[in-house]
Amino acid sequence: MRLTSYGAAGEVTGSCHLLEAGGKRVLIDCGQFQGNEHAYARSTEPFPFDPRSIDAAVLTHSHLDHIGRLPLLTRAGFRGPIYATVETREIGRLILMDAAHVMYEEYGWRKRKAERRGEAIPPPPWAVDDALLAVDQFAPPAAYDSPTPLGEGLSLTLRNAGHVLGSAFVEFEERRNGNGKRVTFSGDLGYRGREVMPDPSACRPCHAVVTEATYGDRPHRPVEESRREFADAVKDALARGGNVVIPSFALERTQDVLYSLHQMWEAGELPSTCRVFLDSPLAISITEAYERHLRALNPNLLAGLDRGEDPFAFPGVEYTPSVEDSRAINRWPSGSIIVAGSGMANGGRVLHHLRHNLWREDSSVIFVGYQAMGTPGRAIVDGARSIKIFGEEIAVKARVYTIGGLSAHADRQGIIDWLRGSGDADVLLVHGEPKSLNGLATAIRDELAREVTIVEPHTPYDL
Ligand code: ZN
């Protein structure tokens, strides 16, 4: 088997790997590049391989940095089947449509601005049609732990990665002349001990394992500690008298936040007058997808499900999909918890809520996810006195809380413990910043005494 990774382009990363095995060319993920201001431009470049030569694609999960360039792939002529779990198909469809909406909205805005300068700008790299074509190419859903044949002597098996709903790591098996070879791709691995997602399945013995290294150089805090910190921040913020704004990512973090608020409500830790608004059409649709697949969540939730409970619904929660409903939230001067995207406050409805609340000394903002350099979220976390929202300078007077430990990614120890199951497999590292890749490589060599290769993009490796 032969691996070529296209998962990095300079400073930015987006999962995309080509496996050649059993006479087939299989793409693992087709992600949009993320990481800095050049990421969008890098994501619109032509593929460094001919998409028409790809026989099939398999998706590890539905985050944009794993599926965001699928429409470009179909536009460039890829016509093979796309394998994924049923949940990845459902959420992936929502995320691609939302990405198209955001892209065309920004394009319209930039186009008008360019026209006023007497200039023209190129149209977006793909159209809604291309995304719909990609959705049409999904093969029947693949169930966890049951092999899907890809051709003569080659099969793939998806196993639960515990990262987001529907996430998988992928085992490829090639059988030739009575000999078998197994190669495993981790995708993004989840963090053990979380509340909504199950733990990742064990890695099985294989010849080589290709693994992500997003948080490969650091430990996370225990889940319970972070949950407590979040609950304390919410209670403290509500006691200040104003509103509480929680910028949140639509997939996984929002559902974690809703579940934590649900638990607080059950424990009597939320005032009965408190209103919780979920103000993001994408996060609402994804939460509804979670509600359609409750049995795929953490087994600890099963007892509650058997009693008919919904882990994300409780009195006081209101979904506000329409613009009118969203605007109406601002009528409440106090006691509202507003969960809205985007998670880094660089777009989306959360900007309206920050505009209404950031300057108020009695309001609060709780950040629950990573804030990239250059985003308004990062500026607020770093102590900016004011930030610009819709061209207006808004003072930062609200109390700002940062909850650091709510990660959906395995930390260094989590990745190492998972790798133990791979027997004496060679380890290839992809998908992480140089510091994470090097830190994880050293830890694997020290703790597991394995051969470790940090994969160079665009370079073939025989596995
Ligand atoms: Zn992910």
Side-chain angles (χ1 to χ4, degrees), residues 61 63 65-66 163 188 409:
H61 64 287
H63 271 143
D65 63 332
H66 291 255
H163 170 59
D188 285 357
H409 287 268

Side-chain angles (χ1 to χ4, degrees), residues 35-238:
N36 64 23
E37 66 276 20
H38 307 299
Y40 177 79
R42 303 304 298 258
S43 297
T44 63
E45 291 171 359
F47 288 97
F49 49 82
D50 181 358
R52 289 169 301 186
S53 72
I54 304 296
D55 296 295
V58 54
L59 306 179
T60 59
H61 64 287
S62 51
H63 271 143
L64 212 48
D65 63 332
H66 291 255
I67 65 165
R69 284 191 296 162
L70 278 178
L72 267 185
L73 197 72
T74 50
R75 190 183 184 100
F78 167 67
R79 292 293 177 269
I82 300 172
Y83 297 101
T85 62
V86 65
E87 298 90 350
T88 295
R89 285 167 49 136
E90 286 182 25
I91 299 172
R93 204 166 47 186
L94 296 169
I95 286 187
L96 287 178
M97 288 304 124
D98 182 73
H101 174 73
V102 170
M103 188 170 68
Y104 274 88
E105 203 172 61
E106 271 181 26
Y107 168 67
W109 176 73
R110 283 180 207 284
K111 183 167 174 269
R112 285 190 293 278
K113 213 169 156 187
E115 280 168 354
R116 289 197 291 273
R117 290 196 306 269
E119 295 169 8
I121 57 166
W126 52 270
V128 174
D129 274 5
D130 302 308
L132 291 173
L133 197 54
V135 167
D136 284 347
Q137 282 171 235
F138 276 116
Y144 289 130
D145 306 319
S146 99
T148 301
L150 291 177
E152 197 66 24
L154 182 68
S155 66
L156 69 81
T157 306
L158 301 180
R159 303 207 184 263
N160 200 332
H163 170 59
V164 298
L165 181 63
S167 65
F169 63 87
V170 192
E171 287 172 8
F172 288 92
E173 282 199 59
E174 189 186 26
R175 297 222 139 261
R176 248 199 324 208
N177 310 326
N179 289 323
K181 195 166 224 189
R182 184 185 295 151
V183 171
T184 303
F185 285 77
S186 74
D188 285 357
L189 279 181
Y191 186 37
R192 292 182 79 83
R194 285 157 76 213
E195 292 169 306
V196 175
M197 291 310 301
D199 288 345
S201 295
C203 184
R204 302 198 312 156
C206 52
H207 290 84
V209 54
V210 182
T211 186
E212 64 128 346
T214 313
Y215 289 96
D217 62 333
R218 69 202 95 158
H220 293 327
R221 303 172 66 179
V223 173
E224 183 46 37
E225 222 172 89
S226 300
R227 206 194 79 73
R228 211 54 262 162
E229 196 187 348
F230 173 76
D232 289 345
V234 170
K235 281 191 283 184
D236 194 56
L238 285 172

Side-chain angles (χ1 to χ4, degrees), residues 265-310:
W265 182 82
E266 292 264 349
E269 292 181 314
L270 287 184
S272 57
T273 51
C274 169
R275 295 167 299 271
V276 177
F277 295 104
L278 179 54
D279 189 29
S280 154
L282 180 62
I284 290 169
S285 300
I286 292 177
T287 304
E288 286 167 351
Y290 270 64
E291 285 168 331
R292 284 194 295 276
H293 297 283
L294 291 172
R295 305 251 156 213
L297 301 178
N298 195 306
N300 292 337
L301 303 177
L302 286 179
L305 299 184
D306 289 340
R307 289 193 300 270
E309 287 172 14
D310 177 336

Side-chain angles (χ1 to χ4, degrees), residues 320-454:
T320 49
S322 76
V323 173
E324 295 73 42
D325 290 345
S326 173
R327 284 211 188 101
I329 295 172
N330 299 315
R331 285 208 306 264
W332 302 97
S334 67
S336 299
I337 299 175
I338 306 158
V339 182
S342 74
M344 297 188 199
N346 49 354
R349 292 184 181 178
V350 78
L351 289 177
H352 296 278
H353 301 300
L354 289 175
R355 186 158 156 254
H356 277 94
N357 288 286
L358 205 52
W359 54 273
R360 290 176 51 182
E361 283 183 8
D362 60 350
S363 284
S364 311
V365 185
I366 304 179
F367 287 98
V368 290
Y370 172 71
Q371 304 298 312
M373 287 290 276
T375 59
R378 179 62 168 262
I380 297 171
V381 166
D382 284 349
R385 297 219 171 146
S386 66
I387 61 161
K388 216 171 207 162
I389 299 177
F390 304 127
E392 188 184 349
E393 206 65 34
I394 308 288
V396 183
K397 295 270 176 70
R399 172 75 61 88
V400 176
Y401 303 82
T402 311
I403 313 298
L406 299 170
S407 182
H409 287 268
D411 63 357
R412 181 180 56 209
Q413 201 55 48
I415 297 172
I416 287 178
D417 289 344
W418 181 78
L419 283 173
R420 282 182 210 282
S422 66
D424 56 2
D426 292 342
V427 180
L428 294 97
L429 300 183
V430 293
H431 203 54
E433 291 174 10
K435 199 161 122 302
S436 309
L437 290 163
N438 290 319
L440 183 61
T442 306
I444 294 169
R445 287 186 190 111
D446 290 352
E447 285 196 43
L448 302 178
R450 298 279 187 85
E451 281 287 329
V452 184
T453 305
I454 295 178

